[in-house]
Amino acid sequence: MPDWLFAVLAAAAVVLCTRSIRVSGAGLRLAVLYVVVMNALMLWVVWKNGPSWSLPAVGAVSLVAAVYNLLAALRTTMGRIQRIGVPVFRTLVRRVADARGPQAMGVCVLFSGIVVLTAFTDDEHPEGVQFHVLPGQDCPFCLLEDQIRDFLGEADPLLDEYRGHLRTGSSRHLLVRRASAAEPWAGRLRDRAYYRVPSAARRPPCPVHDPLLAA
């Protein structure tokens, strides 16, 4: 095989593999890991078997392909985010509650003070679409706790569990779901390393949660 053909095939393989990983549906962090491993393997193959000039050439193609696909993935992610106000947030939550099922809803407060709602109700709001409530006059923790009360009841132990995590600086992700409208709602808290309580400067004053977070 001519040296130039080997380099072209290697570069084409890098581009195709990088794009395949991006459109595979893997999460962003997992996709980045796959791309790094795949590129390292391809460059090792080129280094072992190709001419000396092919390594920097394929490496440059690999870098361009990785950056391009990373930006494309970020654009796709940002395209799934819709910014909404508190009234629309409550409307979407009610739409989830009134759907026939199966129903699922996720709510969390990011370190930026943004409340993120992921609601699966019908074809208009498929999985993966996120609704962001930007910081404003409403306490983000109150918005989340309202969903625990409305869906699971005032006495549900999940409320105390959530506040216990807040005291440690961890902002857990609330997930509520049920298989059909005839079944009761079930809830649980999910943890992620980057779910941290926003600083006081990124949330409005709250007589309920400020003492809790200062404890």
Side-chain angles (χ1 to χ4, degrees):
M1 179 186 298
D3 289 346
W4 66 268
L5 182 58
F6 176 85
V8 168
L9 291 177
V14 166
V15 172
L16 291 175
C17 289
T18 303
R19 186 183 185 282
S20 298
I21 292 172
R22 175 172 66 85
V23 301
S24 66
L28 183 59
R29 289 185 296 175
L30 190 59
V32 170
L33 176 62
Y34 287 160
V35 168
V36 170
V37 172
M38 182 274 300
N39 276 273
L41 289 174
M42 288 299 300
L43 291 176
W44 180 82
V45 170
V46 171
W47 175 65
K48 293 291 289 184
N49 300 286
S52 58
W53 57 266
S54 64
L55 182 60
V58 176
V61 172
S62 171
L63 178 61
V64 171
V67 171
Y68 172 81
N69 283 280
L70 176 60
L71 293 176
L74 289 175
R75 285 196 300 269
T76 301
T77 300
M78 295 303 296
R80 293 174 178 170
I81 296 175
Q82 298 182 26
R83 295 180 177 179
I84 59 175
V86 173
V88 177
F89 171 85
R90 298 189 187 280
T91 299
L92 289 172
V93 169
R94 286 298 94 202
R95 192 177 298 173
V96 174
D98 294 338
R100 293 184 177 180
Q103 302 135 293
M105 181 187 72
V107 186
C108 68
V109 179
L110 301 182
F111 69 93
S112 60
I114 293 175
V115 179
V116 177
L117 167 68
T118 307
F120 319 134
T121 59
D122 51 40
D123 292 338
E124 294 181 2
H125 302 100
E127 182 174 357
V129 176
Q130 290 187 352
F131 303 91
H132 285 195
V133 181
L134 300 182
Q137 297 180 347
D138 296 271
C139 172
F141 303 116
C142 288
L143 286 176
L144 189 147
E145 290 183 0
D146 285 345
Q147 312 319 312
I148 297 179
R149 297 187 185 93
D150 291 346
F151 283 85
L152 305 177
E154 290 280 352
D156 194 280
L158 206 63
L159 181 60
D160 289 335
E161 182 183 348
Y162 179 73
R163 290 189 174 183
H165 290 299
L166 289 182
R167 291 188 182 94
T168 66
S170 176
S171 178
R172 297 298 172 101
H173 185 176
L174 169 68
L175 181 67
V176 292
R177 64 170 62 206
R178 64 179 176 180
S180 70
E183 298 185 19
W185 288 95
R188 64 185 179 93
L189 298 177
R190 302 169 62 195
D191 184 28
R192 295 291 185 274
Y194 51 87
Y195 288 171
R196 308 304 300 169
V197 170
S199 65
R202 295 184 173 182
R203 63 178 192 269
C206 176
V208 175
H209 293 97
D210 284 352
L212 187 72
L213 297 172

